Amino acid sequence: MQTPMVQIRALSRRFQQGDVEVLALDRVTLDIAEGDFVALMGPSGSGKSTLLHIIAGIDRPTSGQCIVRDVDVATLSESALANWRNSHVGFVFQTFNLIPVLTALENVELPLLLTGLSAAQRRAHAEAALELVGLSDRLRHLPRQLSGGQEQRVAIARALATDPTLLVADEPTGNLDARAAQDVLELLEVLNREAGKTIVMVTHDPKAAGHARRIVRLEKGELSPDAAAGLAT
Amino acid sequence: MNLAGFIARNAMRNKRRVILTTFSVALSLFLYTVLQTALREMTQPASSEDSALRLVVRHRVSLANVLPVKYHARINSMPGVRVCSKFTWFGGVYQDAKNFFPQFACEPDKIAPLFAEAEFDPREIADFIGDRTGCIVGVKTMERFRWKVGQKITLTGTIWDCSPELTIRGVYRGGVDETNLFFQHAYFDELTGDLGSVGTYWIKALNADVIPELIARIDRTFENSDAETKTETERAFQLSFVSMFGNIKMLIGSISTVIVFTMILVTASTMSMAIRERMREIAILKAIGFDGKRVVSMIVAESFGLALAGGIVGCFGAKLLFANVDIYALTQGFFLKFDVTPHILAGGMLIAAVLGVTSCAIPALTAMRATIVAGLRELD
Ligand SMILES: Nc1ncnc2c1ncn2[C@@H]1O[C@H](COP(=O)(O)OP(=O)(O)OP(=O)(O)O)[C@@H](O)[C@H]1O
Ligand SMILES: [Mg+2]
C-alpha cells in the first residue's frame, strides 16, 4: 500500500489564554490517503478548525507531527512554509474571503503571482479554473457583484489555481442557502472523483458530510473511536 | 494583473482616504516648500538684481548712532564703489502724527543711479538738484496725500527738532518702495546746525563680485575708530529689522518641523486604520503563500506611493504656482523673486519618501507578525 498523503501522529495543540490552558487537540493520530475526501465533524469547539489549520500549514502543533507528502510541515521556516502552502494547499473558507477590490479573475490569479508563470500563463490558468467551477461568464465581476454561491465557487477556483496537492475547506457551505450549498458540494465531489483532488472538509452538516468518502469525528480534541468507520456515499 | 497592479488597486480602494491623504501631504509639503523658499530668499539675496548691488554702511552699535561725515570721501574712493550717498533717516510726519511715511536726507545727484530700477524723470531730477529745499516723492505717497509736483509741504521732525519746508520737484515710480521721500542732505545739515554726522551711507557696488571684498574693506578701514561700521547688503539690512521680531530662521525651522511631524502622525493614523481594516485579507494573502516580507513590502509600497504622490503635488505645485505669480507685486517688494530651487524640491520629496516609510512602519510590522489564524478570526 502507498504511504498516506497526510500522516498525523500524536498531534496536540494547546492554547494559552491568560491563566487558562485549552487543549484543542489531544494526541490525534490520523492518515489521509491520496484522493480521499474527508469530512471532519464534531461539536463546536471540538478542534476541527485547529486540526485543519495544522494540516494546511497555517498553524503549528504543540507536539506530535503532521507530515504531508514526506514533509514535516512544522519544521519549515515561516517563509518556506508560505512557499509550501502556495504550491501544496488550496484554501476554501466559510466566509468566502475574496479580495474585494479584485475581480473574480484577478482573485483567482492572486496565488499565481507568486509562481514563475508569465502573465499570459497566469491568465490562462485562472480562466481554466473559473471555467471548471462554471463561472466563465463572470471573469470581470467584483465579489460584491456576485451571489454567495458564486463567490464561494470563485474561492474554490482560487484554491485550485496552483493545482495544489491538498484542498482544505472550513465549513464551505456554512454561509450558503441549500441550493448554493448543493452546487458547491457537488463541485467538490466532482473535483475529488474526476480530478483526483484530496480534500479535507470541516462541516457541521451531516448532508454535506454525505458527499465525502469518509467521516472523521472529533470530540473535545480527540478522535472518536468510530473515526475509522464511517464510509460514505 | 501583476503585483504592482494589486498594490495600486489596494491604494485606490478607498477614494476618500486617497484624496485626503494625498491632499494633506501635498498641503504640508506645499507649506514646507514655501517656507524653505522664503527662508532662502531672505537669507541669500538675488545677485543678478540691481538692488542686490546696494550696500548700507551703518554704525556698528545701532542705527541710533550716527557716522562722521568725513567717512564719505574715504568710502567714495574705495575700489568697487560706483555711487555712495549720505543717507539719513529723518522720521518726520506730515501735518499729523498718523501721517507717517519714510523720509530720507540724501544727495540729490545720487538718487537715480542708486535706485536704478525706479523710474525717474531726468528733468525732475535736474529740478531737484537745482533746488536746495526740493524733494522727490514716491508715487504712492503722492497719491496718498493728493500732492502735486510744485506743491510746498512742511514736515515735522520727530527725531530731529526741525521742520523742513520742501517743494515737490518730482515723482518716481517703481523700484522697491514707492512711498519714500528724498530731500537734500545739505538742507538737512543746515536745519540741524551742521552736526557733521550722517545716519548711514548707501552704496551701489560696481558688480556683485566686488561686494564681499568691499564690505570687508569698509569695516576694516573704520575698525578701532570712534565710530566702527557695519556694512551689509540692503537685503540683510532690511532683514535686521525683521529679525527684531525674533530669530526668523529658527521660527521657520520649527514651523517646518512641526508640519512634518503632524503630517507623519496624521498619515500614520490613516495608514494604520487602512491596514487594520484589512487584517483578514492579509491573513488570506499569507494563507495563499505571501510571506511576511512580501506583505510588508506591499504595505510600504502602497504608503510610499501615496506619500510620493502628495509630495509631487505639493512641491511641484508650489514651483508651478510661483513660476506664474508676480511675487514682487504680491509681497509689495519684500521678495524680489521666489525661486523654488531643485535643492528645496529634493528636500521636500525626501521628506515625502521618509514619511511614506515611517507612517506605515508600525501597521506593516503588526501585519507581518499577526498569525494567519488570528487574522482569519477578525470580524468573523
Ligand atoms: N487562538 C486561540 N486561542 C485560544 N483558544 C483557541 C484558539 N483557537 C482555538 N481555541 C480553542 O480551541 C478549541 C478548538 O477550537 P476550534 O476553532 O478548532 O473548534 P471548532 O471545532 O472549529 O469549532 P467550531 O465548530 O465552533 O468552528 C476551542 O475550545 C477554542 O476555544
Ligand atoms: Mg471551526
Side-chain angles (χ1 to χ4, degrees):
Chain A
M1 197 183 125
Q2 207 184 342
T3 48
M5 175 187 279
V6 181
Q7 294 171 277
I8 295 164
R9 296 289 173 265
L11 190 79
S12 295
R13 177 67 165 109
R14 274 170 225 279
F15 290 106
Q16 193 73 42
Q17 199 141 50
D19 291 341
V20 194
E21 201 188 58
V22 182
L23 185 57
L25 292 175
D26 187 6
R27 287 162 296 159
V28 172
T29 294
L30 178 70
D31 284 346
I32 298 170
E34 175 137 27
D36 206 350
F37 183 174
V38 177
L40 267 180
M41 294 193 75
S44 184
S46 58
K48 306 181 295 291
S49 295
T50 306
L51 181 58
L52 193 76
H53 292 160
I54 292 174
I55 295 173
I58 60 175
D59 195 10
R60 291 171 192 267
T62 310
S63 65
Q65 284 181 312
C66 174
I67 296 166
V68 182
R69 278 261 169 92
D70 300 327
V71 174
D72 185 348
V73 174
T75 61
L76 299 177
S77 72
E78 194 260 351
S79 203
L81 192 57
N83 228 334
W84 177 84
R85 284 194 301 269
N86 183 249
S87 46
H88 289 94
V89 185
F91 288 89
V92 180
F93 301 95
Q94 176 173 358
T95 50
F96 323 121
N97 284 333
L98 299 178
I99 306 295
V101 291
L102 300 182
T103 63
L105 185 68
E106 290 163 340
N107 262 288
V108 177
E109 236 190 289
L110 207 52
L112 299 172
L113 290 180
L114 303 175
T115 64
L117 297 179
S118 71
Q121 287 171 315
R122 291 200 299 263
R123 228 192 113 96
H125 275 65
E127 280 177 3
L130 278 164
E131 175 150 19
L132 198 61
V133 300
L135 287 175
S136 295
D137 54 342
R138 294 285 188 280
L139 304 185
R140 313 241 160 270
H141 286 58
L142 289 170
R144 67 180 140 78
Q145 299 165 327
L146 297 171
S147 73
Q150 288 169 335
E151 277 193 77
Q152 194 60 302
R153 282 190 281 154
V154 173
I156 293 172
R158 182 176 67 187
L160 292 172
T162 54
D163 193 20
T165 315
L166 199 60
L167 206 60
V168 299
D170 198 343
E171 306 197 28
T173 57
N175 279 16
L176 298 177
D177 63 29
R179 172 90 220 118
Q182 184 64 25
D183 286 350
V184 164
L185 288 165
E186 277 169 13
L187 178 58
L188 291 176
E189 213 180 320
V190 167
L191 288 170
N192 174 251
R193 283 182 195 283
E194 283 163 31
K197 288 283 159 207
T198 310
I199 302 175
V200 183
M201 174 178 75
V202 168
T203 184
H204 271 123
D205 177 9
K207 254 174 74 188
H211 290 264
R213 289 179 192 263
R214 186 153 76 102
I215 296 175
V216 171
R217 280 177 214 281
L218 275 172
E219 196 86 46
K220 292 182 182 153
E222 292 180 73
L223 281 189
S224 294
D226 62 337
L231 254 174
T233 283
Chain B
M1 188 195 52
N2 53 25
L3 219 47
F6 182 35
I7 293 167
R9 206 74 67 77
N10 268 329
M12 301 299 289
R13 66 164 58 196
N14 184 337
K15 300 279 181 299
R16 192 188 308 160
R17 176 180 79 110
V18 176
I19 292 167
L20 288 181
T21 313
T22 315
F23 188 71
S24 64
V25 173
L27 203 64
S28 311
L29 284 171
F30 176 83
L31 255 175
Y32 171 86
T33 309
V34 170
L35 286 174
Q36 293 302 312
T37 308
L39 188 63
R40 179 181 167 276
E41 292 291 341
M42 285 195 293
T43 49
Q44 50 182 79
S47 56
S48 59
E49 299 290 322
D50 195 59
S51 67
L53 297 178
R54 280 195 291 271
L55 303 177
V56 179
V57 185
R58 61 168 169 115
H59 195 287
R60 209 177 132 181
V61 175
S62 84
L63 272 170
N65 297 60
V66 292
L67 297 171
V69 70
K70 64 178 189 230
Y71 284 9
H72 190 239
R74 295 185 63 182
I75 295 172
N76 226 347
S77 64
M78 285 182 189
V81 174
R82 186 186 310 191
V83 181
C84 172
S85 171
K86 300 173 187 169
F87 220 82
T88 301
W89 172 259
F90 182 68
V93 295
Y94 174 62
Q95 288 176 342
D96 192 291
K98 69 176 196 297
N99 290 340
F100 170 81
F101 59 99
Q103 306 120 23
F104 297 95
C106 60
E107 297 168 53
D109 54 328
K110 307 279 177 66
I111 284 303
L114 198 55
F115 298 101
E117 75 271 32
E119 243 179 77
F120 293 94
D121 181 334
R123 284 206 319 275
E124 290 179 347
I125 288 283
D127 289 348
F128 176 37
I129 294 171
D131 180 359
R132 191 174 172 73
T133 63
C135 67
I136 281 203
V137 184
V139 64
K140 290 227 172 88
T141 297
M142 289 296 280
E143 283 164 4
R144 178 174 169 199
F145 299 116
R146 299 206 176 78
W147 287 343
K148 301 270 176 296
V149 172
Q151 188 175 342
K152 282 191 180 347
I153 55 166
T154 303
L155 300 178
T156 311
T158 57
I159 305 170
W160 314 95
D161 188 17
C162 61
S163 304
E165 291 169 19
L166 304 169
T167 309
I168 300 170
R169 290 298 173 196
V171 183
Y172 74 89
R173 290 180 173 74
V176 171
D177 189 339
E178 292 180 314
T179 64
N180 295 336
L181 178 149
F182 300 111
F183 67 105
Q184 294 211 11
H185 214 281
Y187 181 44
F188 169 78
D189 288 336
E190 185 186 307
L191 289 173
T192 52
D194 277 318
L195 298 169
S197 58
V198 169
T200 59
Y201 291 101
W202 280 50
I203 297 170
K204 178 84 165 280
L206 274 178
N207 57 56
D209 299 336
V210 305
I211 289 178
E213 172 53 26
L214 185 56
I215 288 176
R217 182 188 298 268
I218 295 170
D219 290 345
R220 212 173 334 106
T221 305
F222 304 114
E223 218 167 17
N224 300 321
S225 69
D226 289 347
E228 293 195 339
T229 58
K230 176 170 177 182
T231 306
E232 53 199 351
T233 59
E234 178 185 8
R235 175 51 57 92
F237 178 68
Q238 284 168 345
L239 202 64
S240 67
F241 290 97
V242 180
S243 332
M244 285 175 193
F245 300 101
N247 187 336
I248 293 284
K249 206 165 182 165
M250 202 183 88
L251 185 68
I252 290 186
S254 39
I255 294 174
S256 301
T257 313
V258 169
I259 291 174
V260 170
F261 270 97
T262 314
M263 193 168 54
I264 289 180
L265 293 180
V266 169
T267 327
S269 90
T270 34
M271 214 43 218
S272 75
M273 275 191 293
I275 300 305
R276 189 162 303 280
E277 278 171 6
R278 251 184 264 164
M279 285 312 265
R280 197 189 161 88
E281 280 173 45
I282 287 168
I284 300 295
L285 290 180
K286 286 181 173 176
I288 284 176
F290 286 69
D291 63 7
K293 268 181 264 160
R294 214 176 216 112
V295 168
V296 166
S297 45
M298 283 173 58
I299 292 172
V300 171
E302 177 181 338
S303 164
F304 195 75
L306 287 176
L308 235 48
I312 289 170
V313 173
C315 297
F316 289 86
K319 180 156 182 71
L320 201 70
L321 179 71
F322 293 114
N324 291 292
V325 147
D326 183 359
I327 196 78
Y328 182 81
L330 195 72
T331 61
Q332 298 180 346
F334 187 79
F335 291 112
L336 297 173
K337 42 186 201 163
F338 211 72
D339 272 344
V340 180
T341 62
H343 192 83
I344 292 171
L345 286 177
M349 292 310 289
L350 185 70
I351 290 177
V354 171
L355 172 81
V357 177
T358 50
S359 67
C360 72
I362 292 172
L365 284 180
T366 312
M368 185 179 86
R369 291 213 192 101
T371 66
I372 299 173
V373 175
L376 290 176
R377 281 168 180 260
E378 293 270 326
L379 296 168
D380 216 338

